[in-house]
Amino acid sequence: AEQEQLEVSFTTMLGSAEKAKTMMADLSAFAASTPFESPEIQNASKMLLAFGVDAEQIIPTMTNLGDIAAGLNIPIGDMAYLFGTTKAAGRMMTADLNQFTSRGIPMIAALAETMGIAESEVKAAVEAGKVGFPEMEAALTSLTAEGGQFSGLMAAQSMTLAGLFSTLSDNVGLSLAETGKVIIETFDLKSKLAGTIEWLVKAKDAMFAFAKSNPQMFKLGIII
């Protein structure tokens, strides 16, 4: 049921059922190769889509954000939110910079390096509106590119015991989802649930109608 709702969400956001299925398959493969579990990967991806990140850029963006999140042991959803709010604003705000640094992300050093300015000048540049979204994205990429401080951390952590348990959990969840889909189709559960709901609505209406037409019975306490 959760997987079906997720597919509906992606279909609406991407405007195509086919694109939604491709996205879900890509995210499942991504989750299987990282220490993060599918639900948090899926939720972070929906957040990025809502903030205007192109579907083709979801996996590359999640890779950058995930390596940093894995290195600092912070929720990948937090990274997606900070990335998305900066993208939506078009530039980095002082509050955004503070949010990054408070989580241990060396954003000031990364911005200084990618922009070619001194670290002491970064805050003033942010306050002056000179640090746009492209500069922020480039700074994050520098942290996760080959040789960067957080390069390849998801892949490394996915091979730890905790990472392997996460992958096992994902595989079990996906297997259950596929089994559930077969059960739903085989027993036509949607139609049966819809029929049950319809019956309950009719029963409720009939009870109300009976109560209105027989008020004396309630007064006598025959029906409570």
Side-chain angles (χ1 to χ4, degrees):
E2 290 172 357
Q3 290 297 308
E4 184 181 36
Q5 287 184 327
L6 180 67
E7 187 172 339
V8 169
S9 295
F10 278 132
T11 298
T12 301
M13 298 177 81
L14 298 173
S16 164
E18 193 62 34
K19 288 182 179 179
K21 289 180 179 179
T22 299
M23 174 67 71
M24 291 181 67
D26 290 344
L27 292 177
S28 294
F30 180 78
S33 62
T34 73
F36 301 107
E37 295 191 10
S38 288
E40 55 185 332
I41 292 291
Q42 293 161 351
N43 289 332
S45 298
K46 284 196 295 183
M47 191 183 303
L48 291 174
L49 286 172
F51 277 121
V53 177
D54 291 337
E56 295 76 15
Q57 291 302 311
I58 291 296
I59 296 300
T61 301
M62 291 286 287
T63 301
N64 286 341
L65 301 181
D67 277 338
I68 296 173
L72 296 173
N73 194 29
I74 58 179
I76 194 170
D78 285 6
M79 292 297 302
Y81 176 76
L82 292 175
F83 184 91
T85 52
T86 304
K87 178 175 176 56
R91 71 179 185 88
M92 177 172 279
M93 305 292 186
T94 301
D96 298 325
L97 181 62
N98 292 337
Q99 289 284 343
F100 277 111
T101 56
S102 68
R103 286 169 170 78
I105 302 166
M107 182 58 76
I108 292 178
L111 284 170
E113 182 179 349
T114 55
M115 295 178 67
I117 60 177
E119 290 188 25
S120 59
E121 300 175 41
V122 170
K123 288 187 177 180
V126 170
E127 291 172 357
K130 295 180 180 179
V131 180
F133 172 73
E135 286 75 21
M136 184 276 285
E137 188 174 28
L140 286 179
T141 300
S142 72
L143 293 172
T144 59
E146 186 176 354
Q149 185 175 351
F150 300 96
S151 176
L153 271 175
M154 280 193 299
Q157 288 197 8
S158 68
M159 298 310 296
T160 64
L161 184 61
L164 291 171
F165 269 121
S166 172
T167 299
L168 175 63
S169 176
D170 276 334
N171 287 327
V172 170
L174 291 171
S175 296
L176 289 174
E178 289 300 317
T179 303
K181 187 181 296 185
V182 172
I183 292 173
I184 289 170
E185 293 172 354
T186 301
F187 295 96
D188 194 19
L189 291 184
K190 288 185 185 179
S191 295
K192 288 180 171 59
L193 283 173
T196 301
I197 293 169
E198 184 180 357
W199 180 86
L200 286 172
V201 170
K202 289 180 179 179
K204 179 195 70 174
D205 293 342
M207 290 172 64
F208 285 157
F210 179 80
K212 287 182 179 180
S213 61
N214 297 275
Q216 68 281 1
M217 298 183 70
F218 287 89
K219 290 177 181 179
L220 291 172
I222 297 174
I223 299 178
I224 300 175

